[in-house]
Amino acid sequence: MSLRERYRALPPNPFRRRRRDMLIGVAGAVISGMETVSGRARRVRLPDAHDSTLMLTVVERSVVAHDENVVALRLAAADHRPLPRWHPGSHLDIELPSGRLRQYSLCGDPQDRDSYRIAVRRIPDGGGGSVEVHDVLDVGATVATHGPRNAFPLTVPGYGSPTRRLRFIAGGIGITPILPMLGLAQRLGVDWSMVYTGRSRDSLPFLDELGALGGHVEIRTDDVAGLPSADDLLGDCPDGTAVYACGPAALLTAVRARLVGRAGVELHFERFAAPPVVDGTAFTATVASTGATVEVGADETLLAALTRSGVPARYSCRQGFCGTCRARVLAGEVDHRDALLTDPERAAGQMLICVSRGAEGTDLTLDL
């Protein structure tokens, strides 16, 4: 790879203004972020992307895990034009035929301008999105998106990052945003290693592709080695390491706890599920249009309580950065826990029901 090709393959450096990617929006550390695990966090504010709707057609469909619960879809532009560029860590906000909006990481080759690849694990009780992908999105089906966005950007050692090596940690379907990062690290000759965990080998997608990367990748499964500890996941992890982790909440919690106080290690992570409620208190919410009242427990989100009670509400990320679940509050005091809404928006009565909640003992009245 020539020097020019190496530079063009690099993702935009979120710490240098001259190389900002207009499609990247970096969320706070609560969602997927970069933090030095010593209490300091760096947040990047970039312009919003205002691209037009892009229609994508499913041109290929394949099962990529032996348990048959993970399907990979290759998507091409319905008008056959070249697709917008993307960089490792990017995802698509996809509007499914039902109208559900869901986010899926891009796990193909960033240099491929003809198609995008996503992979989705079937989760029967996951809100319907994954089941719809498995049961409805056959070859020829069409979905809508606004192009790639990146809330999990890769910064490459030696190319604008002060780190010297990369450690990748993937749990199950968490391999999807990591996979393109591995390819880039391999092409650039970066020092990297990875551990890939899951219940069993049958449940892990893309094992054949990972096998081509040789000894850089350790496959560790619970049925053979037991549940991994944080030390198993991190390896030796000397100072100067950038850790990229994606997987279940327990995996991320263990890694973050183990790195507390390690000022010489960067932690970048992405969740595929809603973060746990911390320091929550119970409150009630009333739907203005119907008068229905919902009790929200101290350990559940307002969105979860509404869904449990059969109240329809739009959502996507469940982590407070996409804005899909935005709702208007007609009465009651809001405990805002997002990093998206501006002060004027909050003053106008808006809230994100996936992470924000009512103050203790309050009754929120919602215009849904």
Side-chain angles (χ1 to χ4, degrees):
M1 182 181 286
S2 68
L3 182 61
R4 180 184 294 247
E5 290 172 328
R6 283 172 179 256
Y7 185 83
R8 291 191 65 183
L10 289 174
N13 183 348
F15 308 121
R16 290 177 59 189
R17 291 184 179 180
R18 286 177 296 176
R19 296 194 57 215
R20 290 191 297 190
D21 185 330
M22 298 293 284
L23 293 177
I24 288 183
V26 180
V30 170
I31 306 146
S32 67
M34 176 285 200
E35 60 180 345
T36 302
V37 191
S38 59
R40 293 177 298 164
R42 235 167 161 180
R43 197 173 286 172
V44 182
R45 296 183 63 86
L46 299 175
D48 293 331
H50 295 289
D51 28 308
S52 59
T53 299
L54 176 64
M55 301 305 298
L56 301 174
T57 301
V58 179
V59 296
E60 182 181 311
R61 176 186 170 108
S62 59
V63 175
V64 291
H66 290 299
D67 66 4
E68 300 186 353
N69 283 330
V70 182
V71 64
L73 304 180
R74 196 168 293 278
L75 308 166
D79 60 7
H80 307 293
R81 294 183 182 181
L83 293 168
R85 296 184 184 276
W86 61 281
H87 297 281
S90 296
H91 69 270
L92 293 176
D93 299 287
I94 290 180
E95 184 175 349
L96 299 173
S98 66
R100 295 183 178 98
L101 185 66
R102 296 293 184 268
Q103 296 173 323
Y104 299 112
S105 294
L106 288 165
C107 59
D109 183 356
Q111 299 181 74
D112 179 6
R113 299 291 304 281
D114 295 324
S115 66
Y116 293 142
R117 184 176 71 168
I118 62 172
V120 182
R121 178 177 294 283
R122 177 188 284 272
I123 305 175
D125 58 351
S130 69
V131 173
E132 183 174 356
V133 169
H134 277 252
D135 294 349
V136 176
L137 292 190
D138 295 321
V139 172
T142 301
V143 296
T145 183
H146 289 281
R149 292 197 296 145
N150 200 330
F152 191 34
L154 175 68
T155 55
V156 182
Y159 296 86
S161 169
T163 57
R164 297 185 294 277
R165 64 191 63 81
L166 297 169
R167 175 65 170 179
F168 297 104
I169 302 170
I173 197 63
I175 188 62
T176 50
I178 299 292
L179 200 55
M181 297 182 182
L182 305 182
L184 180 58
Q186 187 83 336
R187 289 197 301 273
L188 296 177
V190 175
D191 181 8
W192 68 275
S193 64
M194 176 186 169
V195 61
Y196 185 23
T197 71
R199 298 186 308 275
S200 66
R201 290 185 70 90
D202 285 348
S203 70
L204 296 178
F206 301 117
L207 285 180
D208 292 343
E209 293 184 27
L210 290 170
L213 297 174
H216 288 281
V217 179
E218 174 192 359
I219 307 297
R220 182 189 174 95
T221 57
D222 302 345
D223 60 346
V224 174
L227 292 173
S229 68
D231 289 334
D232 294 328
L233 297 170
L234 289 165
D236 54 6
C237 198
D239 286 351
T241 300
V243 177
Y244 283 80
C246 184
L251 178 150
L252 298 178
T253 298
V255 170
R256 295 182 70 191
R258 184 66 181 85
L259 290 178
V260 169
R262 290 291 306 276
V265 176
E266 292 179 1
L267 173 61
H268 309 244
F269 63 94
E270 184 169 57
R271 300 180 189 272
F272 277 174
V277 175
V278 178
D279 297 330
T281 56
F283 65 98
T284 60
T286 300
V287 181
S289 59
T290 65
T293 298
V294 175
E295 301 287 338
V296 185
D299 59 351
E300 69 177 337
T301 65
L302 174 53
L303 173 62
L306 292 170
T307 302
R308 168 176 54 77
S309 302
V311 178
R314 285 179 59 84
Y315 70 91
S316 180
C317 74
R318 296 181 293 167
Q319 300 175 56
F321 73 89
C322 75
T324 304
C325 70
R326 185 187 306 242
R328 185 179 174 211
V329 180
L330 303 178
E333 181 183 353
V334 179
D335 176 8
H336 290 284
R337 299 189 173 198
D338 67 277
L340 179 71
L341 296 179
T342 64
D343 289 339
E345 288 173 328
R346 293 179 178 183
Q350 296 186 30
M351 74 175 293
L352 299 188
I353 62 175
C354 69
V355 291
S356 296
R357 51 198 302 108
E360 183 176 6
T362 196
D363 178 25
L364 296 182
T365 301
L366 304 174
D367 178 4
L368 294 178

